[in-house]
Amino acid sequence: MMNILLLGSGGREHAIARKIVQSSRCDRLYIAPGNAGTAECGTNVQLDPMDFNAVADFVLQQRVEMLVVGPEAPLVDGIADHFADHDALRHVKVIGPKRQGAMLEGSKDYAKAFMSRHAIPTARYRTFTRETVADGYAFLDSLQAPYVLKADGLAAGKGVLIEPGLETAKAHLEEMLGGKFGAASTSVVIEEYLSGIELSVFVLTDGEHYLMLPEAKDYKRIGEGDTGLNTGGMGSVSPVPFADSAFMRKVEERIVRPTVQGLRDEHIDYRGFIFVGLMCCNGDPYVIEYNVRMGDPETESVFPRIKSDVVELFEHTALGSLDRCTLEVDRRAAACVMMVAGGYPESYAKGAAIDLGAGSDDVQLFHCGTVRADDGTLRTNGGRVICTTALSDTLESALRQSYRRAEAIGWQDKYMRRDIGQDLLRLL
Ligand code: AMP
Ligand code: GLY
């Protein structure tokens, strides 16, 4: 048995925490900084995941043997390297890649170049800087609308622009290179637009072997029918009906296997999750982006379906023996409905008292932006506040149960989309 520290504070971390504490191998679970939900799975610790020295001090003090990194920022900043580089910390099993592997998410140009080196299907692209802006305009001229512009670096999910018109695309290219996203847009990737339906594919790898986790679909826009501003995610479902076994075989053969093989060939020590955001175009998968962590809110529908002991999977991931594991997955459908604060993803209020209501114990709640106030009341503390996940024999009934539970939850200005999963039901 071991003590485990999980970094992060969202619904993803609550869903991971709930699985970790189900393991007989977990002694104490700490979550930093966590939320009011994770506090029910373990002990929240007021640590900044970006303060590696503080994280390391805590790990040594509490004899933590496993560090599970939820969000990308500490990985891109090199938290796994920090642990590998210090004698006193090297024994800690870190779930998450080192800085070089994390570049797959930290730099779009790096990710695209990696895909092209390993013949992984993705949209045709080129990368431009301020010095080559004229070439950027010419490249845009050679493409068809709409135009896809991506800040190279991390831009809090806001660095991708899809432009319908050529002139606005050129104007935005100039703005981006002029510092619209700070250092993140010193380089800009321009790529072909892919038309199709999106899918999130998750892989756990020790750098040599891998397991494919259940796939999911998330709903990114704030408005019904996928309209309005981009959000961190308004709901998710797993499995995804169009991702049948023939399609997933293509994903594995054309994308997952060459990705893991590419990491090996390039001697990149990668022990953690790979999240492949892909587009299904006429039945063929193309990578839109890599992330080096689990998705949120995909984790809230993927993790409840994992029946295997996740701590055991993580141990083998860290030790390089993932080939000894198989994954046991609940065949039922999971549907996650996210509830957000009114106004999100623009400005919104925090601190509203949340009434969790009541409902079937079969539906799980995952906290995102919640906090337990000094007086004991549960209060909103972020844009995405809480979500419900139901597992059921059909997607339709999972959605129905998840929505029924979500209806019973209330606070001032609560908002949720009513159409999560409806597009997939129409395909059935
Ligand atoms: P993110 O990088 O997660 O902020 O996502 C950007 C979003 O833009 C993706 O989820 C897609 O919906 C969309 N997107 C990115 N690249 C392309 C592309 N080449 N073609 C079409 N849509 C894209
Ligand atoms: N749900 C998409 C993400 O986590 O990036």
Side-chain angles (χ1 to χ4, degrees):
M1 281 179 69
M2 65 178 124
N3 295 340
I4 301 174
L5 173 61
L6 169 63
L7 299 182
S9 61
R12 167 180 55 208
E13 284 73 26
H14 192 190
I16 295 174
R18 193 166 287 158
K19 277 291 167 204
I20 288 176
V21 290
Q22 284 170 9
S23 169
S24 58
R25 302 167 109 85
C26 176
D27 187 0
R28 296 222 169 116
L29 174 64
Y30 300 98
I31 310 94
N35 59 40
T38 62
E40 292 168 15
C41 300
T43 307
N44 285 351
V45 192
Q46 286 317 307
L47 275 179
D48 175 0
M50 298 300 279
D51 184 347
F52 301 166
N53 287 319
V55 172
D57 285 347
F58 181 84
V59 161
L60 293 174
Q61 272 158 25
Q62 301 301 326
R63 296 202 187 88
V64 168
E65 290 174 63
M66 180 181 282
L67 178 69
V68 182
V69 186
E72 65 279 10
L75 295 168
V76 172
D77 247 36
I79 195 165
D81 308 71
H82 185 91
F83 275 71
D85 292 346
H86 289 83
D87 290 341
L89 300 169
R90 200 163 293 139
H91 69 284
V92 177
K93 298 181 174 70
V94 178
I95 305 306
K98 292 186 182 155
R99 192 186 284 117
Q100 200 190 358
M103 295 260 290
L104 285 179
E105 178 164 0
S107 164
K108 306 257 189 223
D109 176 59
Y110 179 89
K112 295 292 286 192
F114 178 90
M115 287 182 253
S116 101
R117 283 196 295 279
H118 300 289
I120 294 165
T122 186
R124 199 159 62 87
Y125 83 106
R126 278 184 59 193
T127 304
F128 301 95
T129 60
R130 216 193 282 205
E131 288 66 44
T132 56
V133 63
D135 299 334
Y137 296 152
F139 187 60
L140 284 168
D141 284 331
S142 77
L143 298 173
Q144 310 248 315
Y147 304 92
V148 183
L149 307 180
K150 301 185 169 185
D152 175 55
L154 291 184
K158 297 188 170 68
V160 177
L161 301 182
I162 313 269
E163 294 294 335
L166 184 58
E167 290 315 312
T168 49
K170 288 181 179 174
H172 281 121
L173 174 62
E174 192 182 338
E175 275 177 30
M176 288 170 89
L177 293 173
K180 183 182 167 86
F181 297 104
S185 63
T186 308
S187 296
V188 173
V189 168
I190 301 178
E191 67 179 32
E192 252 173 359
Y193 180 81
L194 296 170
S195 175
I197 179 158
E198 280 186 69
L199 183 72
S200 302
V201 169
F202 300 97
V203 177
L204 183 63
T205 183
D206 59 15
E208 185 173 356
H209 320 98
Y210 63 84
L211 291 173
M212 291 188 59
L213 308 182
E215 78 285 354
K217 184 173 192 297
D218 83 340
Y219 292 81
K220 287 203 174 87
R221 305 295 194 91
I222 189 71
E224 282 158 24
D226 276 318
T227 54
L229 294 174
N230 242 321
T231 72
M234 298 296 292
S236 65
V237 303
S238 174
V240 180
F242 74 82
D244 55 17
S245 56
F247 182 75
M248 292 308 289
R249 209 170 311 124
K250 290 184 198 171
V251 171
E252 182 166 4
E253 280 166 15
R254 298 178 193 175
I255 294 170
V256 175
R257 204 173 294 151
T259 297
V260 174
Q261 187 64 42
L263 291 168
R264 273 184 73 176
D265 291 348
E266 298 191 20
H267 307 290
I268 297 172
D269 180 13
Y270 198 113
R271 294 155 204 259
F273 295 103
I274 306 174
F275 161 4
V276 187
L278 61 80
M279 191 73 85
C280 169
C281 306
N282 300 318
D284 289 317
Y286 293 83
V287 178
I288 291 181
E289 61 172 357
Y290 288 115
N291 297 297
V292 299
R293 50 170 173 86
M294 286 298 296
D296 193 342
E298 289 98 327
T299 307
E300 293 93 306
S301 56
V302 168
F303 264 55
R305 297 187 60 219
I306 296 178
K307 289 165 113 177
S308 309
D309 181 326
V310 297
V311 176
E312 200 177 318
L313 295 178
F314 292 165
E315 281 189 280
H316 285 287
T317 299
L319 295 171
S321 49
L322 208 48
D323 53 325
R324 291 204 222 139
C325 301
T326 50
L327 190 73
E328 220 192 319
V329 173
D330 193 322
R331 297 179 63 88
R332 289 177 298 169
C336 160
V337 175
M338 184 65 67
M339 287 153 274
V340 304
Y344 173 82
E346 297 182 280
S347 66
Y348 55 85
K350 288 184 184 178
I354 304 170
D355 176 1
L356 287 182
S360 159
D361 284 344
D362 295 341
V363 184
Q364 304 188 51
L365 303 187
F366 295 117
H367 291 232
C368 309
T370 66
V371 66
R372 189 70 63 185
D374 291 339
D375 63 3
T377 53
L378 184 65
R379 293 187 180 270
T380 64
N381 191 42
R384 291 190 293 172
V385 174
I386 196 164
C387 61
T388 52
T389 297
L391 282 164
S392 192
D393 287 333
T394 64
L395 175 58
E396 193 175 14
S397 89
L399 285 164
R400 195 165 49 238
Q401 290 176 43
S402 197
Y403 271 111
R404 190 180 306 138
R405 186 65 188 87
E407 294 290 353
I409 297 174
W411 69 85
Q412 203 177 354
D413 279 347
K414 172 187 118 180
Y415 168 77
M416 60 183 169
R417 270 177 65 167
R418 308 266 162 185
D419 66 338
I420 302 304
Q422 292 305 313
D423 56 333
L424 298 175
L425 290 181
R426 280 194 294 273
L427 289 179
L428 286 175

